[in-house]
Amino acid sequence: MLILRWLMVGLLVLAVAAMAAGQAGLLQGKVPTDLGVHQGKLKSPSATANSVSSQASLYPDHPQRGYADVAPLALRGDGPATIARLQRLVAAVPGAHIVESTPDYLYVQYTTSIMKFVDDVEFWFDPKAQTIQVRSASRVGESDLGVNRKRVEAVRQALADQS
């Protein structure tokens, strides 16, 4: 019984320490310096199972290509109008911070409320494909537990509901 009590105390201390580290910003990770559109592509998916990308198929030898693959977003009007709609949608989401917005590109950082993990999300109007390419990636961790895929699908649904 004493061992169980100490185990519980240890787990509680660990949980409090993790929350304190998150609140102190120690779990945010580093801001990527290579985001944006380069030669008609967003950054490749992460090397671990913590990102999704509508352009994953452009990286055929990528180890997470299958996990990361997600459909692009359909246009609602033209490209700039869809980016503007996306900007309004994400601005209303708690924890979302718009970092960059142009008529054809939107970069948003999502921060979780308790642990302060940050995910980087990009939306780009691809004029050649006439669609919105999307990439959503966690900065830290080996797995995102499906959070990035759920976020993209929630944005897809909210965008469709606006029409």
Side-chain angles (χ1 to χ4, degrees):
M1 194 65 161
L2 184 61
I3 293 173
L4 184 59
R5 183 177 295 166
W6 280 109
L7 183 60
M8 294 300 286
V9 168
L11 289 173
L12 180 62
V13 168
L14 185 61
V16 169
M19 287 178 50
Q23 292 297 314
L26 300 176
L27 303 177
Q28 290 182 350
K30 295 183 181 185
V31 178
T33 58
D34 55 351
L35 297 180
V37 182
H38 305 282
Q39 297 178 342
K41 294 188 218 176
L42 297 172
K43 182 178 177 177
S44 69
S46 300
T48 58
N50 69 353
S51 70
V52 295
S53 171
S54 60
Q55 294 184 315
S57 65
L58 298 178
Y59 302 93
D61 296 330
H62 194 282
Q64 294 299 324
R65 191 183 107 201
Y67 176 83
D69 191 38
V70 67
L73 304 178
L75 294 180
R76 298 293 183 234
D78 64 8
T82 306
I83 293 291
R85 285 178 185 217
L86 287 167
Q87 182 175 354
R88 288 190 299 275
L89 285 171
V90 300
V93 174
H97 170 69
I98 296 172
V99 177
E100 182 179 345
S101 179
T102 67
D104 68 345
Y105 178 79
L106 180 63
Y107 168 36
V108 184
Q109 294 174 351
Y110 287 84
T111 304
T112 62
S113 60
I114 296 175
M115 299 299 283
K116 304 298 182 193
F117 290 115
V118 178
D119 294 345
D120 298 292
V121 183
E122 300 175 278
F123 302 95
W124 169 55
F125 166 56
D126 181 346
K128 185 176 179 181
Q130 286 295 298
T131 193
I132 301 294
Q133 303 292 354
V134 60
R135 179 184 184 275
S136 183
S138 300
R139 289 185 186 169
V140 297
E142 294 285 317
S143 171
D144 66 353
L145 303 174
V147 169
N148 287 294
R149 183 173 306 281
K150 289 175 190 169
R151 175 182 300 117
V152 168
E153 295 309 325
V155 168
R156 183 188 318 281
Q157 186 61 53
L159 189 61
D161 290 348
Q162 263 194 350
S163 298

